[in-house]
Amino acid sequence: MKNKVIFLTTDSIGSGERELGAQLLETFATLLKQREQLPAAVFCVNRGVLALTEQSFASLHLKELEARGVPVLACGTCVDYYGIRDRLAAGEVSSMGRFLELAEQYEVITIA
């Protein structure tokens, strides 16, 4: 994971039941934070920014990733679209320009 950026596009992995998808995302984030080699960054877009709010248990694990030095970034346009700028429990607001910089340096893994 060391040379990878996680591109998180959802707050619920998969296209099935949203509750199951939210559990899957929490499990993914839990296992990700436990790895010895952490990703270079996590960049959240679209509904992925909702995973950074307290309404998502994944936010707890993403906050721990952040504490371990992994930048957890939220698309500013997406944060504003959902009106959650003041409700982020993890991560910081960033831009697509920053994502493009990361994508030039690292392999991107999309979680949808």
Side-chain angles (χ1 to χ4, degrees), residues 24-90:
L24 293 173
L25 179 59
E26 181 184 2
T27 299
F28 174 80
T30 299
L31 295 173
L32 184 63
K33 76 176 185 187
Q34 294 172 352
R35 298 190 61 86
E36 188 174 317
Q37 290 191 0
L38 300 174
V42 176
F43 196 93
C44 302
V45 297
N46 207 324
R47 288 190 63 87
V49 299
L50 298 176
L52 300 175
T53 66
E54 288 182 356
Q55 76 184 40
S56 171
F57 288 121
S59 69
L60 301 171
H61 308 294
L62 293 169
K63 189 171 189 162
E64 288 182 40
L65 265 178
E66 211 175 11
R68 291 189 60 197
V70 176
V72 176
L73 308 169
C75 162
T77 301
C78 304
V79 166
D80 291 340
Y81 177 84
Y82 289 109
I84 59 168
R85 193 173 281 263
D86 60 342
R87 293 182 24 220
L88 293 180

